[in-house]
Amino acid sequence: MSTDQRVASFFDTAWRRIIATQPASVRVHLAAERRLTESVLPAYRAMVEVGCADGSLLLPVARRCALDYLGLDLAAGAVAATRAAGADAVRADVLELTGLALPAGPLLVAFPFNVFGNLPEPERALGAVAASGADALVLTYDTSAGAAAVRSEYYRACGLAGELVADGTGVHFTAAPFTSSVYHRAVLTGWLAGHGYRVTVHEYGAVGQAYHATR
């Protein structure tokens, strides 16, 4: 089984636990994330949410802003839950984005709750978004000690045994096959710029960092 298949298999069985487990610090972080997302949505007609889970992350924001919406997730159960919430969703990898029937733009592809940090090939994922013609919104954490503490509390609550390790690209947590990375600002802005985006970085909440990539 390939790394990508192992990751997909993990999310297929663990997605509900990962979404439902929300210590107070994570609930506060996600509320700030939704406010930040809502602040950039007036420029768009539609949103694709990568890692839509059960529709509780950014779908409510898309609805408040009257946007067309498509959810993507690797977990069949998550796709079913989002559809049960009344939204369109498909089981797909973000790398397949250009082969999907996407809503008409202007289109924003959003990565909530550090979903971007869980991707095995993050730079390729950004390339797929760029190839679709959409803008991107990467919602993640900063690389501070405070963010590391929030992340560690969350991973422990999820029952994931691992440790945070910092290197030149960011701060990474691994509990195989699950990996969750937070990249240094220069790394992520460099990837986005390499795909032709202009990048605005927004800080939100106590430890949130959002990268809004536009043409």
Side-chain angles (χ1 to χ4, degrees), residues 30-177:
L30 291 177
E33 185 166 287
R34 285 187 281 271
R35 290 193 297 271
L36 184 281
T37 302
E38 190 163 359
S39 75
V40 306
L41 288 187
Y44 298 97
R45 179 179 173 183
M47 175 198 293
V48 171
E49 183 178 14
V50 180
C52 59
D54 58 357
S56 64
L57 296 172
L58 298 184
L59 175 57
V61 183
R63 283 178 165 160
R64 282 198 298 273
C65 295
L67 265 64
D68 292 334
Y69 173 93
L70 176 65
L72 267 60
D73 209 290
L74 293 176
V79 171
T82 300
R83 290 176 177 169
D88 191 12
V90 295
R91 189 180 190 187
D93 191 302
V94 66
L95 297 179
E96 303 170 281
L97 195 64
T98 56
L100 301 177
L102 301 176
L107 176 63
L108 180 69
V109 175
F111 298 83
F113 199 10
N114 199 40
V115 163
F116 183 80
N118 302 337
L119 301 177
E121 299 180 275
E123 190 174 6
R124 279 191 67 204
L126 296 177
V129 177
S132 77
D135 288 352
L137 181 65
V138 178
L139 297 151
T140 181
Y141 299 94
D142 60 37
T143 53
S144 67
V150 169
R151 294 173 66 200
S152 293
E153 179 189 22
Y154 167 65
Y155 300 138
R156 285 195 302 271
C158 288
L160 297 169
E163 59 180 344
L164 289 167
V165 176
D167 64 15
T169 62
V171 183
H172 315 281
F173 175 86
T174 300

